[in-house]
Amino acid sequence: MRVFAGYLGLLGVLGLVAALLVTGAPRLANGYADDGLRHDVRALPYQVRDLTFTASVYSTEGPDAAAAAGVLDRFRTRLPGPLPSLVGQQWFAGRIGPKDLDVSGEAPALRGLCRPELPLRGQAGIEREMRMVQGRWPASTGGVEAVLSREAAGILGLGVGTVVVLTGRGIDRGSVPIRIVGLYEPIDPAAPSWDAIRIAEVPCPDPGAGTTHRAPLLTDLPGLTGAARRLGVTYEWRYRVDEERTTTADIPEVLAAVGASRRTPPESGLVLATGLDTAVARFDAQLRAVRALLAVVQAGILATLSGLVVLAAGLAVQRRREEFTLLRARGAAAVQVGARTLREAVGVLPVAVLAGWLLGRTLPGRPAGAEPLGVALVAAGTTLAIPLLAVLSQRRTGFVGRRQDLVRHRPSARRLTAELFVLLLAVLGVVLLHRRGLSQASGVDPYLVSVPVLLAVAAALLALRLVPWPLRQLGRLTARARTVVPFVGLARAGRSAPVTVGPLAVLVVAIATGVFTSVVTSTVAEARDRVTDQEVGADARIVGSYSVRETADRLGTLPGVGAVSPLAFEVGQPLRSPSPNLLGGRDLGQVQVLVVDGPSLARVVATSGVDVDLPPTLTRPGRLDGPVPALVSPEVAAAVGAGAVTEVQGRRYEFRVDRVASGFPGVAVDSRRFVVLPWQAMPVPEFQPIRPNQFLVAGDGFSVDALTATVDSAQREYLAGVVGQPVEEARPQTPVSVSTWPEHRRSLERSGVNALLSFAFGTGVVGATALALLAVGFAVLAEAPGRGRVLSRLRTMGLSPGQGRGLLVYELVPLLGVAVLTGGVVGAALPRLLGPALGLAGFTGGVPARIHLDPLLAVGVLLLVVVALGMALGVESLFNRRMRLGEVLRLGEEN
């Protein structure tokens, strides 16, 4: 053990790294996946996130609110597992309105055509989460009493003592007077208890009248019961799954439990309203795809590590070949030779694997279920590597040494069969991947995720079978030169290619894994850039309510703004076939309509530098009297044919299809039915102009707050002029929001699985680079003794130390170049070869994934070659100093 401590230490380091990878990588991956699930669940609106059971009661004999609140715990315990243990918070509430409910009263805000919506709501325990700022909490005995938030009271002009009359719109019309007895403030306005109680802006029944507000009136449970006997009531039992108690391992059980609750609620008559199962299932589909990619990366790294373990064990056995031969000559069996090396390995290698396991356990995250089995396999593999290779090498004992680097070295039929079998497995795996895909609902298929490794190994075997012939031709050319270094180096490279197939195959797998990961990374990044270019369309996109077109000029005067283009974006507009009077025509469904100012949009696109295509017919100035040219989506083009009629802000416009495209700046990538019209070409009358509600801004260094304030002021002024209100009281229906290109780009990486995706990519690039350099070191060590003897002989003939290093360069550069080129080609071709089986479209933001090669990747590969050569020279120099070239000729001398 002391004499061969270097080989045992090298195997111990490899075992430690393998155990760390088997233990730590799944923990980190599970941690990222769990955090992503919690992030996505936390971001869901309460209508989607919570399990809400509802029951509508319209008779006077229904249960009162207090009795309905008393079954909240009982319903939770009846939920299928594991939901009862995952529920963190629960609420009971009853609501009346706002649907089919009229509001009236003596207060000025309760008169007119656009009255506020004041639904009545009772929620158990809500009084403990508020502070009364005026009046008191309701005590409904003789009549129904309620409280209102101070914010809503200030906006609506209602106060303590105001009486609100709620009247149903059904056949049995009933009226209930509600007296406001207090004003409150939430202690924590962001608490989930207030999700359904917050004040909100809603459109008036008459769209021209602007917007109004919805402000729930809170009453006690007796008051809710009294009002329900006249107006009916809808009871809600709401349960919130605590995301901190949930992990990705619970996803199958949670999906099954939610489905069972929808089919069989805790009590007959209840209806479950939730979107949790849909959101979790969507996350689970992305998670399976990411885990499949991570499995491919891990398979490549584990295969490289396994190859390095075999190479290290092979070097140790080769170094002790004379010792084993002597033992066999003295009567030892091959098994006894293996047992001798096993006793040495048992004292070191399991301890190293245990250290890697303990180190991996310190990493954050949830352990994988197969962690103990993986660690046991690593320990067994590293410990038994040297004994097994020692036994195999001594099955046939040879007492006469022979050279392994002969030019006419021919592989055996058994070896050729094994190589052909590897090639067949790789081709078959590609076929199965195209049929089944990489991500399976049942989990990760070990064979399918190892297909990239098999392809890399097959390519390495094929390349290293072909490389000796061109090297021999180069050797014949260099034989005519006066210097001996190129000839000897190339001759040794051609002879040792079959011998060094192991180290170089490992190097090919490592480089292919790293290049594959880099290509996938750049492909996803480039697709997300395209998504941002389309959905933002400029350096910034401003969305709000209607304002005047001159708002673009006001924005253009702000510091840092280079160009501005107004847009009018309408959703749900009718689409009809053309008719003589524009009133008839066949209904063709609804579309999104985007009206763009073509010339200013072209300036914005040119200034911001986004990669989008603008048809000349949309950017050409000038007004047209007939149908205007339009860009439409493929679905719209298939429906309308040559042209159609649509509506923009209450007026019909006829268009003809000029261009068909699947996307356009300012339109979401998942939009399937849209029409883009050129503003400057449309026959817009002066008495009914088109009002913009979006703006695209190009520039650098502008203030987002200034953009928001300018557009907010403009749309308030416009709304105030329409409804005849003071500007300070005008409240547009849509608040102003500004999306910048960098912020939108970052938002595409904030979904739950992206942290795990980044971890997979980072692991692949870093791990493959480190292991590739280690494989180069093994390639040098594999032929170091033979190279040392050659150097010793040539030194006696006057070879200088510099020429000795040049000899190593000439010997390694061809093989290293072939390995790097083969691994790079395989890694770059894998995304195209596997195609849709990788499932990259789930991470690109909605656009098809186009394989993208980053130019920096070629620079990185060249840098890797340079670093590898430098490391090879360092390893060779260290080996020569340790072995002392003068003694090499006496060590294992061969004739």
Side-chain angles (χ1 to χ4, degrees), residues 130-211:
M130 66 173 66
R131 64 173 65 92
M132 301 302 301
V133 296
Q134 186 177 350
R136 58 177 176 82
W137 176 250
S140 303
T141 54
V144 180
E145 297 179 346
V147 294
L148 186 65
S149 69
R150 182 165 67 173
E151 178 188 9
I155 294 175
L156 302 178
L158 306 178
V160 176
T162 303
V163 177
V164 178
V165 179
L166 304 181
T167 305
R169 298 176 187 169
I171 299 177
D172 300 330
R173 292 172 55 89
S175 296
V176 177
I178 310 292
R179 178 176 295 276
I180 299 178
V181 297
L183 304 180
Y184 68 88
E185 282 185 347
I187 296 176
D188 181 9
S193 305
W194 301 98
D195 284 337
I197 310 176
R198 298 184 179 95
I199 187 172
E201 291 189 43
V202 293
C204 294
D206 182 8
T211 62

Side-chain angles (χ1 to χ4, degrees), residues 9 89 119 161 256 273 307 428 457 506 560 606 632 680 737 763:
Q89 293 176 286
L428 180 61
V457 173
V506 173
V632 301
Q680 74 280 359
S737 62
T763 302

